[in-house]
Amino acid sequence: LPPGPRFYPEDAVIDRPLEFVLSEFVREQLYTATRQELPFATAVHVEELQQGEELRLVASIFVEKPSQKGIVIGAGAAVIKAIRERATRRIEKFVGHSQVKVELTVKVKRNWRSDPAVLRSLWYE
């Protein structure tokens, strides 16, 4: 086929906002840390993103049941700490500098997967 019109800038890698990309990095580490215990019951919502000399990401991990919250946090907060540390390293590599701060909380949000407003806020339109 002949070349068509360019819909995105030449250097564009993804057609989603930075918040989506960063939430996916956190979600990737969430899946790695919890293995197959929570495959589809979790989501990451970016509450705040500040960019400057330091990139600061404040995000909430949504789960559907209180028992899932305990899995994500882990004994002595070990699991959530590992997720935060791994996500921070992944984001540092992506943005190209080492001044990244990631803050995570876990919230129970029942039936988030069937709530259109929540899905829109997570960029799952």
Side-chain angles (χ1 to χ4, degrees):
L1 293 172
R6 184 176 305 280
F7 292 106
Y8 302 101
E10 191 170 321
D11 62 344
V13 178
I14 189 169
D15 65 343
R16 300 288 183 160
L18 180 60
E19 289 89 342
F20 175 80
V21 175
L22 300 182
S23 72
E24 287 295 291
F25 290 152
V26 173
R27 194 165 67 107
E28 172 187 43
Q29 299 310 319
L30 171 63
Y31 283 4
T32 300
T34 60
R35 297 185 185 100
Q36 296 179 3
E37 294 180 77
L38 301 170
F40 302 106
T42 59
V44 177
H45 181 259
V46 173
E47 306 286 342
E48 186 179 337
L49 177 63
Q50 295 176 354
Q51 298 180 65
E53 286 190 29
E54 175 184 80
L55 184 141
R56 180 173 175 260
L57 173 70
V58 179
S60 296
I61 297 172
F62 292 160
V63 295
E64 293 187 320
K65 301 175 187 174
S67 61
Q68 295 168 334
K69 184 175 181 177
I71 293 169
V72 173
I73 294 171
V79 175
I80 192 81
K81 181 179 178 184
I83 293 166
R84 181 183 49 78
E85 289 171 354
R86 291 181 200 149
T88 299
R89 286 194 304 270
R90 180 69 176 95
I91 293 168
E92 286 171 350
K93 184 176 179 181
F94 180 76
V95 297
H97 64 79
S98 62
Q99 294 184 351
V100 173
K101 183 175 183 183
V102 176
E103 298 174 24
L104 301 175
T105 58
V106 183
K107 297 179 180 178
V108 177
K109 194 158 196 75
R110 296 190 187 277
N111 301 315
W112 68 263
R113 291 184 287 173
S114 58
D115 184 335
V118 173
L119 294 174
R120 274 192 302 280
S121 74
L122 298 168
W123 302 287
Y124 296 146
E125 304 182 80

